[in-house]
Amino acid sequence: MDLVKELEGLIPELEEGLNQSSDLQGLEALRVDFLGRKGRLAKIMARLPELPAAERPQLGQLANTVKQRLTELFDARKNALDAAREAALVARFDAGMPGNMPWKGSLHVVTQVMEELCATFRTLGYDVVSGPEVETDFYNFEALNLPADHPARDMQDTLYIQDKIVLRTHTSPMQARTMLSRKPPLAVVAPGRVYRRDSDLTHTPMFHQVEGLMVDKHVSMADLRGTLTAFMRAVFGPQTRVRFRPSFFPFTEPSAEVDISCVMCGGKGHAHGETCRVCKGTGWVEILGCGMVDPNVFVHVGYDPEEVTGFAFGLGVERIAMLKYGIGDLRMFFENDVRFLAQFA
Ligand code: DAH
């Protein structure tokens, strides 16, 4: 009886096949080959009608037994493979290994410093205001006593959007905007981005400034000195010394640049027998520009310069952050290297 032999032969053949397949794909191929709808068992069964009717029940029974046995073999092999795979995983698993820490964002160091500067002025009673980065020629220049042919416009390396529309080159346009929308007495700081056509080791096309403006009756240069000295000591520590040097800005008269005693060498000009590289041995570092609001600026916004006086100042936030944290390279602020940023988280 050929069919009986063929049926029984399936068992050792499957055993051999199973022994040789070591992955789930091979196993599945074998299952289809032996037990599938068009598999070998099914093909043998299809030949059942060849037998005399009397032998068929017996063979049917044998076929069932073989099918059961094939299924058992198949399941046993699959279980063994699953178990081996799991054991390999467990062997590789190190319960003592540190887990993946979730990343946590934080404010950029420039944003942090900018907020700290503004917070310091808030405690002095200043409001924080903001305005557009795309600015008109009027606010960026004209109202600040910088008429079209003024040579000081060259200092600014302006990026133009179109004729008379610029990316603001400084936060000073907020002076005019504030004076037009408020009445004195007023005291504001305006933080924000500014843009210049300038890019090298110490300049980036976009950077941050904080502008300050105070207008009232009888505001004097002494108020400016007192305010900025208190501010610098709040930011850089009570030991900080402050000096004012005469300078020029079109929108202030008189104008000054403010230096503080060097944050690196404490004003000595040298450290560990070497010339201080931050102040280049001078003991001072420049920190901001300021002055008494020029009467022409008041006239542009409709204030009476006989009635009110005021002071203004503008500072670069990146510069303050560099001095505060001893950061040597401006470009670090804009590369967004997480290893750098995370130090300020
Ligand atoms: N706007 C100037 C700049 O960007 C900085 C400045 C100087 C602002 C003197 C002022 C000021 O308000 O009084 O270089």
Side-chain angles (χ1 to χ4, degrees), residues 144 155-156 169-173 175 194 196 207 209-213 224 248-257 288-293 311-316:
L144 294 171
M155 298 188 338
Q156 302 273 0
T169 58
H170 49 182
T171 43
S172 303
Q175 290 187 29
V194 302
R196 290 185 197 176
F207 59 103
Q209 289 188 334
V210 173
E211 190 80 12
L213 175 70
L224 173 60
F248 172 80
F249 297 101
F251 30 90
T252 43
E253 180 59 35
S255 302
E257 275 171 324
L288 57 76
C290 65
M292 302 306 293
V293 178
F311 64 70
F313 54 87
L315 54 82

Side-chain angles (χ1 to χ4, degrees), residues 33-290:
D33 187 26
F34 280 79
L35 291 163
R37 261 193 323 120
K38 293 182 181 158
R40 299 167 65 166
L41 181 64
K43 277 189 184 135
I44 295 172
M45 294 307 289
R47 284 159 53 202
L48 213 60
E50 291 172 12
L51 293 177
E55 292 175 18
R56 286 180 207 161
Q58 208 190 339
L59 199 95
Q61 217 171 11
L62 177 65
N64 273 337
T65 316
V66 168
K67 184 175 179 183
Q68 205 180 342
R69 181 70 191 136
L70 292 179
T71 310
E72 278 168 15
L73 285 172
F74 184 80
D75 288 348
R77 181 63 177 154
K78 183 166 181 330
N79 287 341
L81 283 183
D82 283 347
R85 215 166 39 130
E86 194 156 306
L89 273 180
V90 170
R92 262 189 301 162
F93 180 74
D94 178 357
M97 208 163 84
N100 291 329
M101 295 305 270
W103 283 88
K104 203 169 110 192
S106 62
L107 291 179
H108 193 282
V109 56
V110 168
T111 307
Q112 287 185 40
V113 169
M114 199 152 65
E115 288 193 349
E116 185 195 332
L117 302 181
C118 290
T120 306
F121 276 104
R122 263 204 204 92
T123 66
L124 296 174
Y126 284 65
D127 286 341
V128 179
V129 296
S130 61
E133 292 170 22
V134 176
E135 188 54 283
T136 62
D137 181 274
F138 174 77
Y139 287 112
N140 197 80
F141 294 124
E142 197 81 27
L144 294 171
N145 201 28
L146 270 149
D149 54 357
H150 198 289
R153 283 202 182 195
D154 282 354
M155 298 188 338
Q156 302 273 0
D157 295 312
T158 311
L159 288 158
Y160 280 85
I161 300 284
Q162 61 191 56
D163 190 35
K164 303 271 179 201
I165 308 282
V166 303
L167 287 177
R168 67 179 177 191
T169 58
H170 49 182
T171 43
S172 303
M174 285 310 292
Q175 290 187 29
R177 284 185 174 273
T178 304
M179 287 191 277
L180 281 172
S181 65
R182 297 184 178 208
K183 293 255 156 303
L186 58 85
V188 297
V189 283
R193 295 192 186 102
V194 302
Y195 302 84
R196 290 185 197 176
R197 223 187 64 221
D198 209 353
S199 186
D200 58 33
L201 272 185
T202 53
H203 298 87
T204 48
M206 184 280 288
F207 59 103
H208 299 76
Q209 289 188 334
V210 173
E211 190 80 12
L213 175 70
M214 142 88 88
V215 181
D216 198 354
K217 290 182 170 136
H218 313 301
V219 175
S220 74
M221 192 108 185
D223 298 317
L224 173 60
R225 283 198 64 131
T227 301
L228 290 182
T229 302
F231 169 60
M232 287 306 155
R233 291 190 174 149
V235 175
F236 289 105
Q239 75 292 342
T240 308
R241 283 170 292 124
V242 180
R243 80 175 180 187
F244 286 63
R245 269 184 298 106
S247 184
F248 172 80
F249 297 101
F251 30 90
T252 43
E253 180 59 35
S255 302
E257 275 171 324
V258 175
D259 299 339
I260 58 169
S261 49
C262 179
V263 293
M264 195 69 175
C265 62
K268 289 195 292 290
H270 54 83
H272 316 298
E274 279 184 53
T275 305
C276 176
R277 61 179 175 79
V278 171
C279 65
K280 312 250 170 0
T282 63
W284 297 95
V285 288
E286 186 188 320
I287 203 90
L288 57 76
C290 65

